[in-house]
Amino acid sequence: MESICIFCGSSTGNRSIYQEAAQAMGEAIARRGLSLIYGGGNVGLMGMVADAALAAGGEAIGVIPKFLVDKEIAHNGLTQLHVVDSMHDRKALMTELADAFIALPGGYGTLEEFCEILTWAQLGLHQKPQGLLNVEGYYDPLLQLFDRAVTEDFLRSELRSLVLESSSSEDLLDLLASYQPITVEKWLRQDTEV
């Protein structure tokens, strides 16, 4: 594992614990000699995680669509900044560049990015680990929803294990580093009714 993609809020949230978690994650990534791959912005938690990684001597690589550059939210101090045409291109390049994925607290965009990369793992399009940094239980409702999806037979239990989770940056990075991809021969079950 050489690079970690971080999905997170373009807002800082309303509690300092979220900002502290973003800074701790950036520092932990740099300390381990990993490259940070992220959305390329200078705002919110994403700007904070990049600044923390850079301040700790690490590498921060941003991927941002041109329309967001035009709104002047691109981070100008990164190791590298890729400007792409669309949000779809952004996700595709981040996926290509990263060896693992972590979602910090965030809103719709963060959830969409994490769930898409999780779906790609379910479909066998990649075998990279993905995890949630569950700051102060932020992701507890989402994890409960995933558990309910298993209970209600919308998600196979072995696929539920695709989501790693910890409230600690260091512990989550350890989980990602030790991840063993699961093999599901058939993720789609043909239920038949007579």
Side-chain angles (χ1 to χ4, degrees):
M1 190 169 73
E2 297 178 5
S3 59
I4 302 283
C5 179
I6 298 292
F7 305 128
C8 61
S10 58
S11 169
T12 58
N14 62 7
R15 295 197 294 150
S16 61
I17 190 73
Y18 300 130
Q19 298 155 35
E20 293 163 11
Q23 291 169 335
M25 181 58 76
E27 291 167 1
I29 289 169
R31 237 186 344 267
R32 291 179 184 229
L34 302 169
S35 296
L36 166 68
I37 312 296
Y38 85 113
N42 63 6
V43 295
L45 294 185
M46 60 162 124
M48 297 183 89
V49 73
D51 288 341
L54 292 165
E59 186 174 73
I61 300 167
V63 183
I64 192 167
K66 186 175 186 327
F67 82 91
L68 289 178
V69 173
D70 293 342
K71 292 180 186 276
E72 299 180 350
I73 67 164
H75 195 304
N76 293 319
L78 300 176
T79 309
Q80 194 172 7
L81 181 66
H82 298 274
V83 179
V84 295
D85 290 332
S86 69
M87 295 292 281
H88 295 294
D89 293 337
R90 177 197 232 181
K91 288 184 288 187
L93 184 54
M94 288 194 305
T95 302
E96 181 183 323
L97 295 173
D99 297 321
F101 307 89
I102 293 175
L104 276 62
Y108 287 149
T110 302
L111 294 172
E112 183 271 332
E113 289 169 327
F114 183 76
C115 286
E116 183 163 358
I117 206 68
L118 185 57
T119 302
W120 291 358
Q122 173 183 295
L123 295 172
L125 299 176
H126 73 80
Q127 291 192 322
K128 301 173 184 181
Q130 51 270 311
L132 296 169
L133 186 64
N134 196 13
V135 180
E136 297 271 314
Y138 183 82
Y139 281 117
D140 284 353
L142 182 62
L143 293 165
Q144 290 167 0
L145 177 62
F146 293 157
D147 291 337
R148 180 158 185 193
V150 172
T151 301
E152 300 290 338
D153 207 19
F154 287 106
L155 179 67
R156 292 175 63 176
S157 58
E158 59 268 36
L159 292 171
R160 171 62 178 85
S161 68
L162 290 170
V163 181
L164 305 174
E165 175 262 327
S166 179
S167 59
S168 158
S169 296
E170 295 290 350
D171 290 347
L172 186 52
L173 289 171
D174 287 343
L175 288 171
L176 294 174
S178 63
Y179 175 76
Q180 294 296 316
I182 65 168
T183 303
V184 178
E185 292 298 322
K186 186 176 179 184
W187 61 269
L188 182 63
R189 188 179 60 229
Q190 296 291 329
D191 290 332
T192 58
E193 293 183 32
V194 180

